[in-house]
Amino acid sequence: MIRLIITIVMVVFIAINLAIFIGGKIEMAMVYNEGEPFYVGQYRGTFDLLDDAIVERAGVDLQATLVALKTQFKTPLRLEYQQELDLPPKGWEIIANEAVYLHDLGNSISLYRKSIIPGRVWSLPVVTPYVDERIAHVSGTLSLIKGKLSAMDAGTRALAMEELRRSYDVPLALKSISELDLSAKEISLLQAEQIVVKNPLESGEVFLVKLGKSSVVFQFGPIDYPASFEDRTWYGAIILTAIALTFFLLWIWPLWRDLQRLRRASFDIGDGKLGTRVRSHPASLIKPILDSFNSMATRTENMVESQRELTNAVSHELRTPLARMMFDLQMARDADNVLEQSRHLDSLEINVGELNTLVDELLTYARQERVESPLEFEALSAEDMKAWLVKQVSRAQHGREGKCQITVNFDTTNIGEKSFIISPRLMAHALSNTLQNAFRYAQGNIVVQLDSQQGEWVLGVEDDGAGIPDDKHERVFEPFSRLDESRQRGSGGFGMGLSIVRKIAQWHQGNALIAECKTLSGTRVEIRWPIEVEFD
C-alpha cells in the first residue's frame, strides 16, 4: 500500500510538472508567433525611457544606476555586452536599426534593443499574461513615466505626453481621480502610490498610477490583447489537464489490467480451477497482492490435494479393519460353541481398538492441519530446555526401560545465552511421535540429541534399526505411508506419526526431515526450527 501511494504521488508530480513545462513551451510559442507586434509596440517606449535614465544619471556610477532601474522593474532587466549575446543574424539586423527584437530563448522570450551606451544591449524578459506578473512587469515602465512626469509643470507634461504617445502603441492619458470610475479601495491604492489595474486579463486592460502628490493619474491603456491572449489561460488549463490525464491513463492501465487478471483468476479458483495463477510483472504496482494471491492459491491447491489424498487413504485404511470386523461378527454368529465365538469376539475387540486408534490419529492430524487458536510459544533457557527434554524422554521410555536404551546428548557449545522458542505442548507431541517411531524399529539403542546448526535448533532422534532407503525419505512424512515389510502395520501404527511431526515443525516455522545418522546406523529424524525468530 505504501508503495502504491508513493507511486501515485510520483506519477501525479511528474505529470503536473511535465504538463507545466509543455504548457509553458506552447504558451511561449503562442507569444512569439502571435504576440511579437503587440509586445514590441507595448515596450518600444520603455527602452527610450531606460536610455533617458542613463543620460539623466550621467554623473552616477553605471552599476548603481542599473541596480536602481532593476529595483523599479521587479524583473530581470539587463544591460548586456553585444559579444556575450547569441542572437541570429535577423536579430542583429533589427537591433542595428535601433528597433526592438523579440527572441525565443527556448525556456523564455525576451525583448532586445540597442542601448545608448556603445556596445551594450538592453534585454527585458516577456512574461505570460497573468495579473500578478503583468503588474510586476509594467511597474518598471510606469515607475519611469511617473518619475519623468511628476517633476514637470502642466505645459511641459503635455509635450512629454505627446512624445510618449509616439513611442508606444498603447493609448496613454492623464486624468484626474474624479474623472475615473474607481472604487473606494482603488482610490485608496492610488493615494498610497500603488498601481491599480482595471479589467485585468481582458481586452481593455488599464493600468493607473498617481503622479506624486497631485490628483493627476497617468493611465496606461486600454490595452487590446490579440484574440488568442484572452483564451490563453484556458489553453494552459486544457493542456495541463490533457497531459495530466494522459499520464494518469498510462499509469492506471497496467493497474486496471492486473486487477482484471486478479478478478478472472479469483473466479477460476472459485470454479475449481485450482491451478490458476496470476502473471505478475516485477514493475506491477500490486505485485505484492498478486504474489500473495498466487501463494494463497498454491496453499489452497496443496491443501485440497492433501485432503483428497487423505480422504482416499482414510477410506482405504477404514475398509480393512471394517472388513475384518464384519468377518469376525459373522463368524461369531455362526460359531458352533462358546469358545469359538469368544475367539472371534476377542478379534472383533482388537479390530475395534485398532479402528479407535486410527480415528485418534486422524483427529490429531486434522488438528495439526488447522490450528484454530493462537499457538502458545515460550522462550526456554538452556537449563529449562534440557530439563524439558529429559522429562519428555523419560515419559516416552516409561515401561520400556529393559527393552531399549536411550542416550540424551544436549550440546551447549554454541548455545550461549540464546533461548529456545517453542510450544512445549506441540513439541512434546512431535518428540513423542518421533520416539514412538524409533522404539518401533530400534534394535536396542536410541540417541536423542539437541544442538544448533547454521541458525537453527536441531532436535535429532536416531535408532539402530534397518534404516530407510534414500528414495523413501520424503514418503515417510506422508499420511498412511507404507514402505517395506519391516515397517508394516504388524509393527504397529498407521503411518501418521511423522506426518504430524512435520506439521508441528512447520508451525514452528521449521521442518522435519530424514538425515544422515551421526552415532547409530539406522534412521535419524531431525526436527529443525529457526533460532532467531519471533512468533505472534
Side-chain angles (χ1 to χ4, degrees):
M1 182 58 70
I2 294 176
R3 180 188 176 193
L4 182 61
I5 293 174
I6 293 174
T7 304
I8 291 174
V9 172
M10 290 179 63
V11 168
V12 172
F13 177 78
I14 293 172
I16 291 176
N17 279 274
L18 185 59
I20 291 173
F21 174 75
I22 296 176
K25 285 283 188 181
I26 295 175
E27 191 169 45
M28 287 295 104
M30 292 173 63
V31 169
Y32 186 75
N33 294 328
E34 303 176 18
E36 181 177 8
F38 169 77
Y39 279 108
V40 169
Q42 187 176 356
Y43 289 98
R44 184 175 65 249
T46 300
F47 291 111
D48 293 335
L49 293 173
L50 288 169
D51 282 340
D52 291 344
I54 294 294
V55 173
E56 290 173 4
R57 301 191 182 195
V60 182
D61 178 66
L62 178 60
Q63 190 63 34
T65 300
L66 290 176
V67 170
L69 290 174
K70 289 179 180 179
T71 303
Q72 289 177 310
F73 272 78
K74 301 178 182 178
T75 57
L77 172 69
R78 292 186 179 89
L79 183 60
E80 304 186 65
Y81 290 97
Q82 289 186 9
Q83 61 268 25
E84 294 179 355
L85 291 175
D86 183 18
L87 299 178
K90 177 185 175 182
W92 287 118
E93 182 181 347
I94 294 174
I95 291 174
N97 293 328
E98 297 187 355
V100 178
Y101 172 61
L102 183 69
H103 181 52
D104 184 2
L105 300 174
N107 58 348
S108 65
I109 296 177
S110 290
L111 292 162
Y112 296 88
R113 208 199 76 168
K114 186 178 180 180
S115 170
I116 195 173
I117 301 175
R120 305 291 284 273
V121 176
W122 291 108
S123 71
L124 185 66
V126 171
V127 295
T128 54
Y130 298 109
V131 64
D132 292 338
E133 294 181 351
R134 292 278 295 132
I135 292 175
H137 203 260
V138 176
S139 63
T141 299
L142 296 180
S143 178
L144 290 174
I145 294 174
K146 176 183 175 182
K148 182 173 183 176
L149 298 178
S150 295
M152 296 179 178
D153 56 30
T156 309
R157 187 178 291 167
L159 294 175
M161 284 294 295
E162 290 300 322
E163 183 182 349
L164 287 171
R165 289 189 180 99
R166 288 193 297 271
S167 301
Y168 287 94
D169 292 343
V170 177
L172 307 179
L174 293 175
K175 297 183 179 181
S176 66
I177 294 179
S178 59
E179 293 180 68
L180 300 169
D181 182 18
L182 301 173
S183 66
K185 180 180 180 181
E186 290 171 336
I187 293 174
S188 176
L189 289 173
L190 286 176
Q191 296 292 356
E193 299 188 358
Q194 299 294 316
I195 297 175
V196 172
V197 185
K198 303 288 287 186
N199 306 321
L201 298 182
E202 299 178 4
S203 288
E205 182 181 53
V206 174
F207 292 88
L208 303 172
V209 63
K210 192 166 73 71
L211 300 180
K213 297 182 179 180
S214 68
S215 61
V216 179
V217 175
F218 175 77
Q219 177 178 305
F220 188 86
I223 300 174
D224 291 324
Y225 290 111
S228 62
F229 275 37
E230 298 182 22
D231 299 326
R232 184 166 299 148
T233 303
W234 289 103
Y235 293 157
I238 292 172
I239 292 169
L240 178 65
T241 302
I243 295 175
L245 183 60
T246 301
F247 258 79
F248 182 74
L249 290 176
L250 290 175
W251 170 80
I252 202 68
W253 163 248
L255 178 62
W256 181 84
R257 178 198 60 203
D258 290 341
L259 289 175
Q260 286 297 105
R261 288 176 178 173
L262 183 62
R263 178 175 175 270
R264 288 193 297 268
S266 64
F267 280 128
D268 289 343
I269 293 290
D271 290 339
K273 301 174 183 177
L274 301 181
T276 302
R277 300 293 182 270
V278 184
R279 285 184 297 166
S280 175
H281 192 276
S284 175
L285 295 176
I286 58 171
K287 186 178 187 302
I289 298 176
L290 299 180
D291 291 344
S292 297
F293 178 86
N294 289 336
S295 177
M296 179 204 69
T298 300
R299 291 196 304 270
T300 301
E301 184 181 23
N302 292 339
M303 181 181 67
V304 171
E305 184 62 28
S306 175
Q307 292 298 324
R308 184 182 294 113
E309 293 176 356
L310 181 61
T311 300
N312 293 336
V314 168
S315 63
H316 178 270
E317 292 296 327
L318 289 176
R319 192 176 291 115
T320 301
L322 284 175
R324 291 202 302 266
M325 289 170 64
M326 291 294 296
F327 174 78
D328 287 330
L329 182 61
Q330 185 63 42
M331 294 301 294
R333 287 175 177 174
D334 297 340
D336 295 332
N337 54 65
V338 176
L339 182 61
E340 185 178 355
Q341 185 180 49
S342 176
R343 183 171 59 83
H344 287 297
L345 289 177
D346 290 341
S347 177
L348 181 63
E349 183 178 2
I350 292 173
N351 282 294
V352 169
E354 182 180 324
L355 189 60
N356 186 59
T357 302
L358 172 60
V359 170
D360 286 342
E361 292 201 12
L362 287 173
L363 291 175
T364 300
Y365 183 79
R367 281 195 295 268
Q368 306 311 323
E369 277 285 303
R370 184 182 63 183
V371 176
E372 296 181 351
S373 58
L375 300 177
E376 298 179 356
F377 290 95
E378 298 180 13
L380 303 181
S381 64
E383 183 178 348
D384 292 337
M385 188 66 185
K386 183 176 182 180
W388 175 88
L389 182 61
V390 171
K391 179 180 178 181
Q392 301 306 319
V393 171
S394 298
R395 181 178 296 176
Q397 193 179 17
H398 181 69
R400 297 186 177 90
E401 289 80 357
K403 300 178 181 179
C404 200
Q405 178 66 36
I406 300 180
T407 303
V408 178
N409 294 328
F410 190 82
D411 189 354
T412 60
T413 304
N414 300 320
I415 292 178
E417 300 296 326
K418 297 173 184 175
S419 298
F420 295 82
I421 302 177
I422 63 170
S423 169
R425 179 180 59 83
L426 290 178
M427 192 60 76
H429 194 173
L431 179 58
S432 176
N433 280 15
T434 307
L435 286 171
Q436 294 301 326
N437 191 74
F439 281 132
R440 193 171 296 128
Y441 307 113
Q443 298 297 320
N445 292 288
I446 295 175
V447 174
V448 179
Q449 183 177 21
L450 179 60
D451 58 8
S452 61
Q453 296 176 17
Q454 300 178 344
E456 290 184 318
W457 297 122
V458 181
L459 177 57
V461 177
E462 293 185 27
D463 63 59
D464 57 355
I468 299 174
D470 293 345
D471 59 344
K472 304 293 179 62
H473 282 183
E474 279 300 310
R475 186 179 169 187
V476 298
F477 292 100
E478 299 174 2
F480 304 109
S481 61
R482 291 289 181 266
L483 299 180
D484 51 35
E485 290 299 325
S486 65
R487 292 181 181 261
Q488 290 297 321
R489 187 177 302 147
S491 302
F494 294 90
M496 297 287 291
L498 292 184
S499 63
I500 294 173
V501 171
R502 171 166 284 185
K503 185 59 61 176
I504 292 174
Q506 290 172 350
W507 281 116
H508 283 74
Q509 301 183 18
N511 197 15
L513 50 89
I514 303 297
E516 183 179 354
C517 286
K518 296 182 178 181
T519 305
L520 305 178
S521 58
T523 300
R524 176 181 173 87
V525 179
E526 288 185 348
I527 303 173
R528 293 173 170 263
W529 70 100
I531 296 174
E532 301 293 340
V533 66
E534 293 184 3
F535 296 92
D536 296 331

